[in-house]
Amino acid sequence: MSPMREEKTRVSLISKIADKRLAGGIPCFVQIYGKDIGRKYPLDKVQTSIGRGPDNTIVCDMDNVSRSHCKIYAGAGGSYIEDSGSTNGTFVNDEELQARRKMNNGDFVKVGGVIFKYIDGDNIEQLYYEEIYRMAIIDGLTQVYNKRFFVEFIDREMSRCQRYNRPLTLVMFDIDHFKKVNDEFGHLAGDYVLKKLAGSIQNKNIRKEECFARYGGEEFAIVLPDTPKHNGAILAEKVRAMVQSTRYEFEGNHIPVTISMGVDEMQKSDTVDAFVQRADAKLYEGKQGGRNRVVS
C-alpha cells in the first residue's frame, strides 16, 4: 500500500471512530475476571494493544500475560482481534486465536488470567450497566452464580420452605487435589477445569428453579428447593460420576478430575451459616474418607 493510500485509510478509520464516539457508541471491553473486575476500556483507537508491558493501551500485570499479548484493530466493518505471538495464546469464547478475526457483541476474550467481555451496539452505556449488574450475581470465570447470589437465594428459599414446611437440600462440593492441578499444569489449566466442570454441571443437571453457584475457589454449591436429602444425594452421585467420566484435556495434557460432595437437609431452626457449615462438614468427611465420594 502506498504511503498516501495508507494515510487515507488511517484517517478514514479515525473518522469512523470519531463518528461512533459522537453517537455514544464506542465499543469497549469490560473486565469480568481478574483484579480490575468491572473496569471499562473504550476501544477508541485504531489499534489497542493488550499485554504485560507498560507501553500497552491495556496493561495486565500478570505472569501468564505476555509483554505484548494481543491487539484489537478498528476496521471498516467493526473491531478485529489478533494474537501477537503470546506464550499462552489469546482465546475468544474458549477458542484459541489462530488468525485475525472479527469480534461480535458479547464475545469473551481471555488473556492469561484476565477475561474481558466485548460490548458493541447502539447503546453502549446501557449494555455496560447491564453487564455490571450481571457481574454482581455471576462468576466471571465459570459463568454460574457467585457466592453473593447463592447467599441471597438460600436465605430466601430457607424462609419459604420453613414457612410451608417444605424440604430444602444443600449440596456442597469441591475439586479433589485442585492445588496439584495448578502446580503441575499451571493456573490456566486450573481455570479451564473450573470452567468446563461448571458448564457441564449447569447444562446437564441443574433445573431453572435450583441454584448452582461457585462458592469460592474450587468449591461449589447446589441448592435444591422442595427436595429431600435422599433425592439430593442421588443427584450428587450423578454429578460425581459425570465429573469423573468427563475427559479434561488442556494443551495436550490429560488432567484427572474428581470431586468430593457433602449433602444435608435444612432443619427448622437452621440459619444460613449453620446449614452451610453442616453440608461443608459432610464434604470434608468425604475428603478424609478418601475423596471422590458423596457423604449425606
Side-chain angles (χ1 to χ4, degrees):
M1 182 183 294
S2 68
M4 183 174 292
R5 186 177 175 189
E6 187 175 5
E7 178 62 16
K8 281 186 176 181
T9 301
R10 189 181 72 83
V11 171
S12 174
L13 290 175
I14 292 172
S15 176
K16 288 180 181 295
I17 291 174
D19 289 344
K20 227 176 180 186
R21 183 188 293 114
L22 290 172
I26 285 289
C28 67
F29 269 169
V30 180
Q31 188 169 331
I32 65 169
Y33 189 70
K35 66 179 180 181
D36 291 325
I37 187 169
R39 186 168 177 180
K40 177 183 176 185
Y41 299 94
L43 302 175
D44 55 359
K45 295 177 172 57
V46 175
Q47 177 180 297
T48 300
S49 61
I50 303 177
R52 192 176 72 249
D55 52 339
N56 286 282
T57 316
I58 301 176
V59 178
C60 301
D61 189 15
M62 300 181 69
D63 290 341
N64 50 24
V65 176
S66 294
R67 186 170 183 82
S68 178
H69 203 104
C70 64
K71 291 183 174 64
I72 296 92
Y73 300 92
S79 298
Y80 297 78
I81 185 167
E82 183 177 71
D83 187 72
S84 300
S86 65
T87 301
N88 292 312
T90 302
F91 294 80
V92 179
N93 302 329
D94 293 328
E95 293 184 5
E96 186 171 3
L97 277 180
Q98 302 299 330
R100 185 180 299 191
R101 63 168 280 180
K102 184 179 178 181
M103 300 189 66
N104 298 306
N105 181 44
D107 279 349
F108 294 97
V109 177
K110 193 168 193 298
V111 177
V114 178
I115 301 176
F116 301 99
K117 186 172 183 178
Y118 176 72
I119 295 180
D120 193 9
D122 295 332
N123 193 332
I124 298 295
E125 287 304 308
Q126 179 180 336
L127 292 171
Y128 169 67
Y129 285 112
E130 286 175 359
E131 185 60 30
I132 291 298
Y133 169 74
R134 188 173 179 277
M135 287 166 54
I137 62 171
I138 299 292
D139 176 61
L141 176 65
T142 61
Q143 293 299 297
V144 299
Y145 288 120
N146 60 18
K147 184 177 180 179
R148 174 180 173 177
F149 182 87
F150 161 79
V151 171
E152 293 174 354
F153 183 93
I154 194 171
D155 185 49
R156 183 172 65 248
E157 286 301 312
M158 286 179 68
S159 296
R160 184 185 68 83
C161 289
Q162 285 170 341
R163 185 182 309 119
Y164 296 107
N165 197 28
R166 302 292 298 168
L168 178 68
T169 291
L170 173 62
V171 180
M172 300 291 290
F173 70 89
D174 73 5
I175 301 173
D176 297 327
H177 301 299
F178 187 68
K179 186 177 183 299
K180 286 186 178 180
V181 175
N182 286 325
D183 291 344
E184 185 172 348
F185 301 103
H187 287 277
L188 294 182
D191 286 353
Y192 157 79
V193 168
L194 289 167
K195 186 174 177 64
K196 181 170 181 175
L197 179 146
S200 60
I201 293 173
Q202 177 71 45
N203 294 333
K204 296 179 181 179
N205 298 281
I206 307 301
R207 298 178 298 182
K208 63 180 181 179
E209 64 269 23
E210 298 166 348
C211 173
F212 174 44
R214 184 182 181 189
Y215 189 73
E218 68 270 28
E219 188 170 9
F220 294 84
I222 306 173
V223 185
L224 304 169
D226 301 315
T227 303
K229 183 168 71 170
H230 68 273
N231 285 350
I234 291 171
L235 172 68
E237 176 55 31
K238 181 181 176 182
V239 170
R240 185 208 61 76
M242 186 198 72
V243 170
Q244 184 181 21
S245 64
T246 299
R247 185 170 181 85
Y248 296 84
E249 190 166 336
F250 184 78
E251 295 183 343
N253 296 309
H254 170 61
I255 305 173
V257 177
T258 61
I259 56 177
S260 298
M261 314 185 77
V263 183
D264 214 326
E265 186 174 333
M266 178 189 68
Q267 299 174 3
K268 286 189 176 181
S269 60
D270 265 340
T271 62
V272 171
D273 285 346
F275 194 13
V276 170
Q277 286 171 11
R278 215 168 50 249
D280 244 344
K282 297 284 182 67
L283 158 62
Y284 285 100
E285 184 180 334
K287 284 191 169 297
Q288 291 170 355
R291 295 181 169 82
N292 189 25
R293 62 192 60 208
V294 175
V295 176
S296 61

